[in-house]
Amino acid sequence: ATVLSAVISSLADPAFLAELAITLSRLLAGFAIAVVVGIGLSLIGASNKYAGLMLQATVQLLAPIPKIALYPAIVLVFGYESTPKILLVAVDAVFPIILATYQGIARVERKLIWSARAMGQSQFSCLLTIALPSALPSILTGCRVALIVSCIVVFLAEMISSSDGLGRLLIAAARNFDTVNMFVPLILISVIGLVLNLTLNALRKRLLVGY
């Protein structure tokens, strides 16, 4: 009850809402980059056999690496502001999207592609107008996974090194042995993840009416 009371009080505090907005902006920026890069790389990989082999090899090599281990190097290059947090979110979230998009395109009925090519469409045009819409269910599933990853990674990045954001608030409360306020950022990042997941699920249902 004390923690929930602290959550309600925090949501009425403009300074706390500013910290919440910073975390949310980093999360969404990193996720958006991951979506654009992930779908773009998957289209390139699907359009060319050799590019596809290179993409698969790269994903198999890099996906198992804990990306948080790269954070010190990213901080050395980009500093301590929002950029390294956004990049870490994007790097971590891009792999579920690449895997889901590439596999979704690979499962598209080949006869649809052949028919479109026979009617004069280019291979890249077929990818955009046939393969990509057909792979949409798989892509959105990958995006949901990536969104959860984004919530976890942005919080971790702010805990490690940040002068603002929910992760920084948790570390500050822990250092002061403030147990109640230590749980407030945890609850709110969970609520953010839940709301974003429900939003994406609603978008999925709207986009996939015909499936």
Side-chain angles (χ1 to χ4, degrees), residues 75-91:
V75 168
L76 284 174
V77 176
F78 295 100
Y80 288 92
E81 300 302 322
S82 291
T83 302
K85 282 87 173 171
I86 293 171
L87 286 177
L88 188 64
V89 171
V91 169

Side-chain angles (χ1 to χ4, degrees), residues 3-115:
V3 171
L4 290 177
S5 176
V7 170
I8 295 170
S9 299
S10 297
L11 292 175
D13 181 2
F16 185 88
L17 291 177
E19 303 277 358
L20 178 64
I22 289 169
T23 297
L24 187 58
S25 65
R26 289 168 176 163
L27 190 162
L28 293 177
F31 176 71
I33 293 171
V35 170
V36 173
V37 172
I39 294 176
L41 289 176
S42 299
L43 286 173
I44 294 171
S47 64
N48 183 275
K49 176 183 177 181
Y50 298 105
L53 292 174
M54 289 182 61
L55 181 64
Q56 291 182 57
T58 303
V59 170
Q60 290 170 8
L61 179 65
L62 298 181
I65 297 176
K67 312 308 177 298
I68 199 70
L70 302 174
Y71 191 58
I74 297 175
V75 168
L76 284 174
V77 176
F78 295 100
Y80 288 92
E81 300 302 322
S82 291
T83 302
K85 282 87 173 171
I86 293 171
L87 286 177
L88 188 64
V89 171
V91 169
D92 244 316
V94 74
F95 288 100
I97 297 173
I98 290 176
L99 290 169
T101 304
Y102 190 78
Q103 292 300 319
I105 292 175
R107 288 196 295 267
V108 173
E109 178 60 52
R110 295 293 98 184
K111 291 180 180 179
L112 295 175
I113 305 293
W114 296 337
S115 299

